[in-house]
Amino acid sequence: LEAELRYPFVKTAADGAALVLEPIIHLAWTTNLGTDVPNEDSSIVEFDEGNLLSISRFPGEDRFETGARATFGLKWTRYDPDGWSLGLAAGRVVRDVDTGQFTAASGLDGLVSDWLLAGQLKLTPGLSITGRAHVSDGLDLTKAESRINWRNQQASVAATYSRVVADLTENRPDLTSQMTLDATYNIRRHWTGNVTYLYDFAANKGTKARIGIQYANECLSFDISLSRRFTSSTSVTPTTDIGLSVNLLGLGSEVAGPQRTCSG
C-alpha cells in the first residue's frame, strides 16, 4: 500500500526565472509473504533522489523493503531564462519499526534514515555538476558522491569522486575514497574510443586504468579493451586484461545501437 502527496509552488522571479518549490510526503506499507530467497542481487543499496519515493529501494528482486514508513522530501529548482538550471533536494525516511534490512553504509538503517542531500547544476552547453550525500543528525558523513561532466556531439569528459564509510556487511572493511576520470571520443561514424582511470585516495595510488574502442552499427556492437589493475598487496599481483565482447542489437537486446532496428 502506498500514498503520495506533492504540491509544487511555482513563482516567477524578477529576472524572469521560474522558481519551483515542491514538498513531498510518501507513505508506504509492504509485507513479505513466504521465505526469503538468498540475497544475490540486492546486497548493495544506493539511496538517492531517484529512489527516494520508491516503494522498495533494493535494486534487485531478492529483497523487497517491508514495514510501514513515511518519506518526507523537499525539492527546489530554478530555471533561468539564460538556459541554465539549479536543483536542490533533501529528504529522509522514518519507520515505525527497525526491520534491520539495511546496512549502515546505505544510509537507510535504523528507525530514521540519514538525510539525503542532493544538488544538480546544468549549464550550457553540455556542462553539468551533480552531488549527493548521506548525513546523520550529528552531521557525520556516511556516503558522498560528486560528478562534473562535459559533453558535446564529438566527445565527453567526466570526473567522479566518491566516499563511503567502511561496512563489513558490504564487503568493505576500510573507508573508500576514490576518484574516477573517464572520457569518450567519437572517432568517426560507428567508432568510439574511451579511457578510464581510477585513483584511490585512501591508498594514495592509482588502482585501475582502461582504454577501449567500440564499433557499433544498427545490427551489432563490438568492444575491445585493455585494462591494467595496479596493486601493492603481497597476496594479489598486478594484472593486465584484454576484454572482447560482441552484442547483437535489434534482436531483443537491451543495448541500444545507433538505430533501434536492424536493417537487412
Side-chain angles (χ1 to χ4, degrees):
L1 300 174
E2 66 175 326
E4 182 177 310
L5 174 64
R6 60 171 71 198
Y7 189 85
F9 298 91
V10 182
K11 180 181 179 181
T12 302
D15 59 357
L19 306 178
V20 181
L21 181 66
E22 186 177 24
I24 302 168
I25 300 176
H26 181 264
L27 305 176
W29 177 84
T30 51
T31 188
N32 186 35
L33 301 177
T35 305
D36 286 337
V37 299
N39 187 14
E40 297 178 353
D41 62 358
S42 293
S43 57
I44 298 180
V45 177
E46 293 294 334
F47 177 39
D48 56 34
E49 61 274 27
N51 63 19
L52 176 64
L53 303 178
S54 296
I55 195 169
S56 178
R57 297 171 183 87
F58 286 107
E61 301 295 331
D62 291 346
R63 287 291 182 271
F64 198 87
E65 194 170 345
T66 59
R69 55 208 178 268
T71 302
F72 303 93
L74 185 66
K75 294 182 179 180
W76 178 87
T77 310
R78 174 189 172 97
Y79 299 97
D80 195 87
D82 291 335
W84 61 270
S85 64
L86 173 64
L88 302 174
R92 77 184 321 180
V93 182
V94 180
R95 307 175 188 279
D96 67 332
V97 175
D98 181 7
T99 58
Q101 289 185 292
F102 297 100
T103 64
S106 70
L108 286 165
D109 64 321
L111 290 174
V112 181
S113 75
D114 288 344
W115 283 101
L116 170 65
L117 307 177
Q120 182 179 59
L121 175 62
K122 289 185 177 180
L123 302 172
T124 53
L127 178 63
S128 64
I129 302 172
T130 60
R132 66 178 59 89
H134 300 165
V135 182
S136 69
D137 287 336
L139 300 182
D140 294 321
L141 188 64
T142 303
K143 182 183 296 185
E145 181 182 55
S146 59
R147 179 177 176 86
I148 181 169
N149 182 77
W150 173 85
R151 67 170 56 245
N152 61 16
Q153 293 183 346
Q154 189 72 24
S156 69
V157 180
T160 304
Y161 173 77
S162 59
R163 183 185 186 277
V164 188
V165 296
D167 193 330
L168 290 176
T169 57
E170 293 188 359
N171 256 344
R172 191 174 47 258
D174 302 309
L175 170 74
T176 297
S177 177
Q178 61 186 23
M179 175 173 285
T180 303
L181 305 174
D182 57 83
T184 62
Y185 183 78
N186 295 328
I187 303 170
R188 55 180 301 177
R189 188 170 182 259
H190 300 313
W191 290 94
T192 304
N194 54 79
V195 178
T196 302
Y197 180 73
L198 181 64
Y199 186 86
D200 190 334
F201 288 98
N204 197 28
K205 64 183 180 69
T207 57
K208 189 175 182 180
R210 180 187 181 279
I211 184 170
I213 190 169
Q214 179 192 66
Y215 172 84
N217 60 21
E218 65 272 16
C219 295
L220 62 87
S221 68
F222 174 87
D223 296 85
I224 185 169
S225 63
L226 176 67
S227 61
R228 175 71 172 174
R229 183 178 293 276
F230 310 98
T231 179
S232 59
S233 171
T234 57
S235 60
V236 181
T237 59
T239 59
T240 301
D241 300 302
I242 297 177
L244 176 65
S245 67
V246 178
N247 293 297
L248 298 178
L249 308 177
L251 299 174
S253 170
E254 294 182 359
V255 181
Q259 298 181 11
R260 293 186 177 274
T261 58
C262 178
S263 59

